[in-house]
Amino acid sequence: MSHYQRIACLSTEAVETLYALGAQDVIAGISGFTVRPPRARAEKTKISGFSSADLARILAVQPDLVIGFCDMQADICRDLVKAGIEVHQFNQRTVDGILRMIAVLAALVQREEAGKVLIASLRADIAAARARAASWTRKPVIYFEEWNDPLMSGIGWAAELIEIAGGTDAFPELSAQPGAKERIIADPQDVVRRAPDIIIATWCGKKFQPAQLMARPGWDAIPAVRNDMLFEIKSPDILSPGPAAITEGLRQLSDIIARWQHQQERPA
């Protein structure tokens, strides 16, 4: 065969994309954090966590290609290369990067046409969100909290999706940083000073606790807290840089901003 037949996926977005391309038969193993599609968890062998992985478990599914993502998987991907396995290490951090990842995966499994269809559908979702936002006269400032201890602002594609949906990222200088440590907000009062209109929490697999956030010293002065504009987007819907970040994450962001817009229209 002229394309890969046994692909081990170390991150959820690669699994989601291969299923969306109709190429699920080539998936030999998946990350235990895989959530899309739900059937993947029943059908495929779990071979890794996200930042943790056991070389023997990956090799046991006899992959002819391993798909990795970001610096947190760099060590295991290095070890796989040393073991003689082909590895493709993605590192997409932008919306364009997500679309490019889809095109590359489609080429790797000779599903180029399916890739084009999927990308066109996602571009249509993006265009629809932009069109919806175009009618709004004010962009709300949005603080996207990726983690609560320490406080961590959102990653690049999340900030970009906020802009597409018609908002303004409260910490643009942090979202430009690829590493989690570089996106830590050392002083919680920095959030108070930026006075976000909306707060969106995505505590990376941990349930958001609004009361805990509202109890932070001084945060009762934040417009988002005063106006009950606190929302959760589940991490699989926006923190995995694959199709769901657009089909789910962007859609939810757009609806949240629409709700804020309607609140602004109400008489005081």
Side-chain angles (χ1 to χ4, degrees):
M1 296 291 289
S2 58
H3 63 84
Y4 297 100
Q5 295 294 298
R6 296 191 60 78
I7 299 178
C9 301
L10 303 187
S11 61
T12 182
E13 68 277 352
V15 179
E16 177 194 8
T17 300
L18 288 170
Y19 268 88
L21 295 171
Q24 60 269 23
D25 289 350
V26 306
I27 300 174
I30 64 172
S31 160
F33 287 98
T34 297
V35 293
R36 283 195 175 81
R39 59 185 275 213
R41 295 184 65 81
E43 295 174 349
K44 302 298 180 180
T45 303
K46 298 177 187 68
I47 56 170
S48 67
F50 180 71
S51 57
S52 63
D54 181 87
L55 188 65
R57 285 181 69 188
I58 299 171
L59 295 176
V61 300
Q62 299 180 300
D64 54 13
L65 178 68
V66 173
I67 301 291
F69 170 67
C70 86
D71 57 306
M72 293 178 72
Q73 296 184 344
D75 288 348
I76 189 65
C77 288
R78 176 201 62 204
D79 293 345
L80 285 161
V81 170
K82 287 182 177 179
I85 303 297
E86 283 190 50
V87 174
H88 190 106
Q89 183 81 340
F90 284 106
N91 203 19
Q92 67 272 21
R93 305 285 176 159
T94 63
V95 171
D96 278 347
I98 291 170
L99 301 179
R100 187 167 57 247
M101 176 274 292
I102 294 168
V104 170
L105 263 186
L108 290 172
V109 295
Q110 293 187 340
R111 297 289 201 286
E112 287 93 343
E113 283 307 310
K116 289 176 183 175
V117 170
L118 178 56
I119 290 167
S121 174
L122 296 172
R123 288 195 185 281
D125 289 344
I126 291 166
R130 288 193 188 281
R132 186 184 195 185
S135 64
W136 296 329
T137 55
R138 190 186 153 205
K139 290 186 171 187
V141 174
I142 298 179
Y143 167 53
F144 187 101
E145 186 169 287
E146 193 174 308
W147 191 243
N148 66 316
D149 186 21
L151 298 190
M152 187 181 298
S153 190
I155 200 162
W157 67 82
E160 193 175 348
L161 291 170
I162 284 170
E163 297 288 339
I164 291 169
T168 298
D169 179 31
F171 288 89
E173 75 281 9
L174 298 185
S175 62
Q177 301 296 324
K181 290 180 180 176
E182 286 75 42
R183 290 183 282 110
I184 289 174
I185 299 167
D187 181 1
Q189 294 305 307
D190 280 350
V191 181
V192 179
R193 284 187 281 272
R194 302 206 183 190
D197 300 294
I198 297 169
I199 293 176
I200 295 170
T202 303
W203 287 358
C204 216
K206 184 169 68 173
K207 185 171 175 56
F208 173 47
Q209 303 291 339
Q212 187 186 108
L213 183 145
M214 290 188 288
R216 294 172 187 167
W219 281 45
D220 55 347
I222 295 174
V225 175
R226 289 202 315 266
N227 298 322
D228 195 26
M229 285 283 122
L230 310 178
F231 302 92
E232 179 181 29
I233 296 179
K234 301 290 187 185
S235 54
D237 291 347
I238 197 164
L239 290 185
S240 297
I246 297 167
T247 61
E248 298 297 326
L250 177 59
R251 176 183 59 79
Q252 291 175 54
L253 285 168
S254 180
D255 288 346
I256 287 167
I257 294 173
R259 184 168 163 180
W260 179 85
Q261 297 285 350
H262 293 148
Q263 187 187 73
Q264 301 311 296
E265 293 166 4
R266 292 184 205 137

